[in-house]
Amino acid sequence: MPPQPQSPNPSYDFILKSGQTKSRSFNPLNLSGPVKIIGAVLIVIILIIVLGTALGGKNSGKAGGLTGVLGRAQEINRINTLEQPVITDPTTLDLLVTVQSALSSEQTQLTNILNQQKIKLDSKQLAAYQNNGTDQLLQSAAQNNNLPAAYDTYLRGALADYANSLVQAYQTNNSSSVKSILQSAYSSTKTLLASPPLKQ
């Protein structure tokens, strides 16, 4: 005799009753007009935040190595501007003018490329390279009639740090035009460091 189907458990009878209405599934297309608008606005805001973060990250990554280069160049030129009126030694003065001219040219070239790529550097990050202790050190040296030697010592260290920042920026940058400027700046800086007042 074939097995008889068992009657289902009476506690699950609600599943089998045909009179029961089906529950409606969630369909985002059936939402009312204001809810759709709010949802669309939220999606747009999220996309703007995500894209802004991604693009901002790219810009800071591109400028990351150049911030050190430009910050150090800016600080060396600031010191040169302060010291130029008080330096009387012709050799030191010639060196100062040469360094200022070279760094200003490099700064201009790099800044122009950043502007073309719509990359803005944070002025606070650039200002972080300013060292007021150098001002006091050189002022004290001037009062003790030792400014040329103190300036040469300062410049030797500052240009060595600048050369290191050029190497780091070269290694982290993908732009061939930026790399070309950095390579030229590095060669120029090495030549300056090999000049008689700075050569050790």
Side-chain angles (χ1 to χ4, degrees):
M1 179 170 166
Q4 296 292 324
Q6 296 179 340
S7 65
N9 187 338
S11 61
Y12 295 110
D13 278 350
F14 70 93
I15 296 174
L16 300 175
K17 295 195 183 204
S18 61
Q20 190 172 357
T21 59
K22 289 184 176 179
S23 64
R24 293 183 2 174
S25 63
F26 176 72
N27 185 351
L29 299 177
N30 289 338
L31 295 175
S32 66
V35 175
K36 284 182 185 178
I37 292 171
I38 292 171
V41 169
L42 287 174
I43 290 172
V44 169
I45 290 172
I46 291 169
L47 285 174
I48 289 171
I49 291 170
V50 169
L51 288 174
T53 304
L55 292 176
K58 281 184 182 177
N59 283 350
S60 64
K62 286 181 183 176
L66 297 180
T67 302
V69 170
L70 292 170
R72 284 184 171 85
Q74 180 177 291
E75 173 61 1
I76 293 169
N77 279 340
R78 183 187 73 81
I79 293 294
N80 285 347
T81 302
L82 289 174
E83 298 306 318
Q84 189 169 2
V86 293
I87 290 179
T88 55
D89 178 65
T91 305
T92 304
L93 193 56
D94 287 346
L95 178 64
L96 181 151
V97 170
T98 303
V99 168
Q100 192 153 11
S101 174
L103 294 185
S104 294
S105 173
E106 293 156 10
Q107 273 185 295
T108 301
Q109 291 175 53
L110 289 172
T111 303
N112 286 343
I113 287 178
L114 291 176
N115 289 340
Q116 289 169 4
Q117 297 177 354
K118 297 186 180 0
I119 298 172
K120 292 186 178 182
L121 293 177
D122 186 352
S123 57
K124 289 180 183 176
Q125 288 180 334
L126 292 174
Y129 291 92
Q130 182 172 329
N131 182 357
N132 294 329
T134 304
D135 304 17
Q136 296 166 0
L137 181 76
L138 294 176
Q139 186 177 13
S140 174
Q143 291 168 352
N144 293 322
N145 295 322
N146 193 28
L147 183 56
Y151 174 79
D152 290 349
T153 302
Y154 155 75
L155 191 59
R156 186 180 302 114
L159 286 177
D161 289 343
Y162 178 66
N164 289 336
S165 70
L166 289 168
V167 170
Q168 291 171 359
Y170 185 90
Q171 292 170 346
T172 59
N173 209 293
N174 294 328
S175 167
S176 58
S177 55
V178 170
K179 283 191 166 203
S180 175
I181 295 169
L182 294 172
Q183 189 170 17
S184 173
Y186 182 78
S187 298
S188 170
T189 304
K190 282 301 193 182
T191 301
L192 289 168
L193 285 167
S195 65
L198 300 181
K199 189 176 182 180
Q200 286 186 315

